[in-house]
């Protein structure tokens, strides 16, 4: 077995190609968590007709793009700011608020801690309990969320656990944070994949709370990570003003801005994506529940976290077996609080999902 020197990210197909000698075109990435339908058909046909737009500068205010986003998420356009991927907006928000001590719900995405550290702050983790299927206990959080924290970071639905906090609990969290003068940054990268987005998204709360900023992007649901288009929703006009002041002008290129205007209006594609993920999420979860050698945690996003219970089998073993068949899954041992017994994979087309499941269950049964 090849022992890679590092864990592979869903975008590391060139590294996989070098290590395993498998052409990247022959790899199905179950690790990247990207919509298996690919980009919006409406975008594919319409963007080429707008190619001449690159001869001019984008609108500095991105008015049409923000209007399209506002219509899509049912929010006030004036509460929306756009950026070069949600990563840029995370960085800007942290630069402006300068958190000295942040509380991060984990296990989760590592970029939050990195940006907080670069800003001179320290990060502490609130541990989501495996015994509770990684679901948040708001009362337990309140006990640990002391007033010396100035930022709470939540990924909702969470990566890699695929657990979600309902909007009713998020309101309680924001009330707690308000009392203790704590900002709350909510990353909703995967919220569009949930069965009922209205039960999870915090976007409506931005109208009533000035201590929340919500982050979204197009990399996962709209399968367009290369466009680098992200956006944030925030009802705190003073904070938004500071973000816009510090943000580079024309941070989004003309074609990415046009693409956003197009894809957010492709209702047929949006509905088709949600139906596919809903169907495959239920099917795969029910199959895995029947395997006695794994523990599967109820997924709400477009991926599932699985714990391996079989003796002598690790996440690295399954990664190696899967990649040799052209399937890339995620070894989750680098996430806080997880170990070499956890894997994550996203939902692709039904045929590919079935082939991956057959491979995994053959090893695990």
């Amino acid at each position: 077995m090849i022992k890679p020197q590092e864990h592979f990210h869903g975008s590391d197909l060139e590294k996989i190609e070098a290590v395993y000698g498998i052409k990247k075109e022959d790899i199905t990435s179950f690790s990247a968590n990207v919509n298996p339908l690919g980009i919006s058909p409406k975008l594919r046909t319409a963007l080429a007709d707008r190619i001449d737009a690159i001869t001019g500068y984008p609108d500095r205010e991105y008015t049409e793009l923000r209007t399209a986003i506002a219509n899509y998420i049912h929010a006030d356009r004036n509460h929306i700011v756009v950026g070069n991927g949600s990563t840029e907006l995370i960085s800007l928000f942290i630069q402006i608020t300068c958190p000295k001590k942040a509380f991060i719900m984990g296990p989760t995405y590592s970029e939050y801690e990195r940006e907080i550290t670069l800003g001179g702050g320290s990060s502490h983790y609130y541990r989501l309990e495996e015994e509770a299927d990684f679901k948040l206990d708001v009362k337990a959080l309140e006990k640990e969320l002391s007033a010396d924290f100035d930022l709470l970071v939540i990924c909702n639905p969470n990566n890699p656990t695929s657990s979600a906090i309902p909007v009713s609990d998020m309101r309680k969290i924001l009330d707690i944070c308000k009392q203790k003068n704590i900002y709350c940054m909510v990353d909703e990268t995967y919220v569009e994949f949930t069965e009922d987005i209205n039960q999870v998204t915090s976007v409506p709360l931005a109208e009533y709370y000035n201590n929340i900023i919500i982050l979204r992007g197009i990399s996962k649901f709209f399968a367009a990570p290369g466009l680098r288009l992200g956006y944030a929703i925030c009802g705190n006009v003073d904070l938004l003003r500071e973000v816009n002041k510090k943000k580079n002008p024309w941070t989004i290129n003309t074609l990415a801005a046009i693409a956003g205007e197009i894809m957010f209006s492709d209702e047929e594609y949006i509905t088709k994506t949600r139906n596919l993920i809903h169907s495959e999420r239920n099917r795969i979860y029910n199959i895995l529940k029947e395997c006695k050698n794994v523990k599967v945690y109820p997924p709400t996003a477009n991926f599932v976290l699985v714990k391996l219970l079989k003796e002598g089998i690790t996440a690295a073993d399954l990664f190696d077996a899967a990649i040799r068949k052209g399937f890339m899954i995620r070894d989750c041992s680098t996430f806080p609080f997880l170990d070499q017994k956890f894997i994550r994979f996203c939902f692709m087309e039904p045929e590919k999902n079935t082939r991956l499941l057959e491979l995994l269950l053959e090893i695990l049964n």
Side-chain angles (χ1 to χ4, degrees), residues 91-121:
S91 180
L92 279 169
F93 176 72
I94 289 171
Q95 286 174 33
I96 291 164
T97 57
C98 301
K100 297 302 179 190
K101 188 176 180 182
F103 210 26
I104 304 173
M105 289 192 190
T108 198
Y109 180 51
S110 62
E111 189 64 26
Y112 313 129
E113 181 177 357
R114 176 182 175 275
E115 291 293 341
I116 290 161
T117 301
L118 288 173

Side-chain angles (χ1 to χ4, degrees), residues 51-71:
I51 189 67
D52 287 343
I54 64 173
T55 61
Y57 285 97
D59 166 22
R60 288 176 69 112
E61 303 298 324
Y62 295 99
T63 305
E64 291 185 11
L65 173 59
R66 290 190 299 115
T67 299
I69 294 170
N71 293 335

Side-chain angles (χ1 to χ4, degrees), residues 63-84:
T63 305
E64 291 185 11
L65 173 59
R66 290 190 299 115
T67 299
I69 294 170
N71 293 335
Y72 172 61
I73 65 173
H74 309 294
D76 186 336
R77 183 183 73 188
N78 295 318
H79 291 170
I80 296 168
V81 61
V82 295
N84 189 246

Side-chain angles (χ1 to χ4, degrees), residues 101 103 138-152 172-184 209-211:
K101 188 176 180 182
F103 210 26
V138 177
K139 289 184 178 179
L141 171 68
E142 183 175 11
K143 289 178 182 176
E144 293 193 38
L145 191 60
S146 57
D148 59 338
F149 287 107
D150 44 16
L151 175 64
L152 174 64
K172 295 174 186 175
I173 292 167
L174 289 173
D175 285 335
I176 295 165
C177 288
K178 189 75 174 172
Q179 293 167 8
K180 300 182 180 183
N181 200 29
I182 299 170
Y183 268 117
C184 187
Y209 292 88
N210 66 357
N211 61 332

Side-chain angles (χ1 to χ4, degrees), residues 199-236:
Q199 296 298 313
V200 181
T201 181
S202 296
V203 168
L205 300 181
E207 291 283 340
Y208 308 102
Y209 292 88
N210 66 357
N211 61 332
I212 183 173
I213 185 165
I214 302 149
L215 302 160
R216 288 202 194 174
I218 62 167
S219 295
K220 307 303 183 180
F221 188 84
F222 288 98
L227 281 176
R228 306 312 306 143
L229 171 58
Y231 58 99
I233 306 97
C234 181
N236 186 327

Side-chain angles (χ1 to χ4, degrees), residues 155-192:
C155 183
N156 194 39
N158 188 41
N159 174 22
T161 62
S162 204
S163 54
I165 302 168
V167 67
S168 55
D169 280 350
M170 192 64 75
R171 188 183 291 272
K172 295 174 186 175
I173 292 167
L174 289 173
D175 285 335
I176 295 165
C177 288
K178 189 75 174 172
Q179 293 167 8
K180 300 182 180 183
N181 200 29
I182 299 170
Y183 268 117
C184 187
M185 184 169 72
V186 181
D187 185 343
E188 290 194 347
T189 294
Y190 298 103
V191 76
E192 290 137 304

